[in-house]
Amino acid sequence: MRDLLCTVGPDRGRPTLSIPKFYRAFLIARKADGFSEKTLQKYETALRDLEEFASLNNFPSDLLDLQPFHIRAWLTNLRDRSYKSHPNKPPSSKLLSPNTQWTYWMVIRAFYKWACKEGYIKKNPCENIKGPKQQETVIRPLDQAHIEALLRLCPPNTWWGARDRALIIMLLTTGMRRGEIAGIRLGDIELENNRIKVSGKGDRRFQRKERYVAILPQLIGPLINWLRFREKIVRENRLETDALWLGLVSSKNCWLPLSSNAIGCILRRLKERVGIKEVRLSAHTFRHTFALNFARARMVKRNLQEILGHRDPRSTEAYTRYVDHELALQEQRELNPFKSWKL
């Protein structure tokens, strides 16, 4: 059975195959739709994976010639495959997560749907295939003790402490994504209106969906404090940038705007210093904490969706369901109709 299902998976040590013109056209179409470079890389990774799997198992080399059986064999291989051959993960015997499998499947399904619509193929081989489902994972949120411990590491009388303090509180009180935080410019901050303009996900060269988030009272002081340090840094170093966040690159002895990856590094460094182990400290965890706390405060679901920048309301429903489940458990404990039973 295992031979029939073709369990030979791509080896990332092999030379990668060239990208055929037809799925280069697919990537160009997605790019024209405003997909970010990061998303396009995921698309290319999934397409290459299927192409290499087909080559290793003597399937048709042209993805447009693959049949439902070939797609099912690839999906079966994904379920059995470990991270040893995963391009973006360190070597491990751990199997690919359901969400990784789901991401690959979504790309391939979108590709064949596009190819059918564009006339490259007459029938979509994915049409009647039940692929992997996205796993609903529960991310443990940060609590007040975590935030207080992090802020103790950020002295407001130093440039880096003022910056990191403002960054932490902005992540917590706005729910912005890491890339959105990194992309903030001075012109996006409207202190007089207590709001920040946010450019959503997508390629910066295309029109992104813009929204506003409120500057809550807890953020005003730390943000103004960092802006004062930032003004001094820009003036003394004669910088020409309107990026909100700046960092000193010691190896080059120069100041640069913080990238999304740089913000991730700051959070990892803070986690190591504070010793938080039970919670993953990332921008997404801050976003998750923001959404859960506003859902617990019974914010209208449509408003929460707008603030978070979710296009699909199902993304927001994950938080409201979590809170509803919390309330259901609480009510179960409080009502307990078996209190008087002698058990």
Side-chain angles (χ1 to χ4, degrees), residues 26 30 43 46-47 50 71 74-75 101-117 121 124-133 314:
F26 171 63
R30 284 296 181 262
Y43 271 62
L47 288 165
L50 177 58
I71 305 297
W74 172 72
L75 288 172
Q101 297 174 39
W102 176 81
T103 300
Y104 276 40
W105 166 240
M106 287 296 100
V107 171
I108 299 305
R109 193 174 72 166
F111 166 70
Y112 281 109
K113 185 177 180 180
W114 169 86
C116 196
K117 185 178 178 181
I121 54 177
N124 183 349
C126 297
E127 193 172 13
N128 297 315
I129 296 178
K130 264 190 174 180
K133 295 182 179 180
R314 289 175 295 182

Side-chain angles (χ1 to χ4, degrees), residues 173-188:
T173 60
T174 66
M176 280 191 270
R177 301 177 179 93
R178 189 175 70 182
E180 293 171 343
I181 287 268
I184 295 175
R185 299 293 181 260
L186 292 182
D188 298 329

Side-chain angles (χ1 to χ4, degrees), residues 313-331:
R314 289 175 295 182
S315 300
T316 312
E317 286 170 3
Y319 298 108
T320 55
R321 278 199 310 270
Y322 183 88
V323 172
D324 289 341
H325 182 65
E326 283 184 330
L327 293 173
L329 285 176
Q330 181 181 345
E331 189 171 4

